[in-house]
Amino acid sequence: MRPSIFVLLATLGMAASPAIAQETAVAAAPAVSSQQMVQQAKDALAEMSAIDAQVGKQLDEAEREGDAETVECIRLRKSKISALLAVSSLAQKDMNLALSSGQDARAEHEFRKITVAQAKVRQFQSEVQACTGEGSVADSSSSVDAESNLDEDDDTQGLGISDGVVGVDPPGTTPFEY
């Protein structure tokens, strides 16, 4: 019985060793320094605030024009941008507090919140541009110019095979087909 316990423990030890190695590798390499986190968070919040203000202006303009569909499209994205900005602002405060108390893991977590929110705000900004027709998909109309190089002859008549009658139907493959 003792050899089987030894084999079991050895197997578990080998299975856990890659996971332990991964944990130490991840914990050993911080992504950015604390000064870089603080500066990048400030820059990200400034960018998100500018986008929020720009989208607000686009919303006001759409309301003046009276386009209800565009107003609703922009309003939905604006509310999401405002929520992400509020969450990022709170995350920045929490990140600064965690950095001052030496909680680096917590600070990195809050910093990741800000970077994810920044990416989502950029996405919503591009969606707002699509709502207003300023994006790459400005209008849904397209035109195609086609020239015909066909002769007057109609080449769609018979290809030398029968007119669709191939032959006799094959025999049934199951008794339910009769």
Side-chain angles (χ1 to χ4, degrees):
M1 180 165 189
R2 289 187 182 167
S4 63
I5 292 175
F6 176 72
V7 171
L8 178 65
L9 291 175
T11 305
L12 290 175
M14 285 188 275
S17 62
I20 293 170
Q22 288 175 354
E23 283 182 23
T24 57
V26 170
V32 291
S33 69
S34 59
Q35 293 87 7
Q36 289 174 331
M37 274 195 276
V38 170
Q39 186 58 46
Q40 288 178 7
K42 283 181 185 177
D43 294 343
L45 259 71
E47 178 186 350
M48 288 188 279
S49 295
I51 290 172
D52 188 44
Q54 176 191 10
V55 170
K57 289 178 185 176
Q58 289 174 324
L59 179 61
D60 292 341
E61 184 178 315
E63 287 174 343
R64 277 194 305 272
E65 291 176 3
D67 187 3
E69 185 177 329
T70 303
V71 167
E72 187 60 32
C73 182
I74 295 173
R75 183 174 286 136
L76 178 65
R77 273 68 175 184
K78 170 108 172 71
S79 67
K80 291 178 181 181
I81 290 171
S82 297
L84 287 169
L85 185 58
V87 167
S88 297
S89 179
L90 182 61
Q92 182 188 27
K93 290 175 186 173
D94 291 345
M95 180 190 74
N96 290 336
L97 182 64
L99 285 172
S100 66
S101 64
Q103 298 175 348
D104 293 337
R106 175 72 181 185
E108 287 180 18
H109 176 76
E110 298 299 329
F111 178 70
R112 277 193 306 263
K113 282 184 188 178
I114 296 169
T115 57
V116 168
Q118 181 182 25
K120 291 300 287 184
V121 166
R122 288 175 180 165
Q123 176 188 343
F124 290 136
Q125 179 187 26
S126 66
E127 289 178 11
V128 166
Q129 289 174 346
C131 290
T132 60
E134 296 175 10
S136 61
V137 189
D139 62 352
S140 61
S141 64
S142 60
S143 64
V144 176
D145 295 329
E147 294 181 17
S148 174
N149 293 333
L150 298 176
D151 296 331
E152 296 298 322
D153 298 336
D154 184 13
D155 64 346
T156 60
Q157 298 297 322
L159 299 174
I161 58 174
S162 66
D163 59 351
V165 178
V166 176
V168 181
D169 288 339
T173 55
T174 66
F176 300 109
E177 292 181 13
Y178 292 109

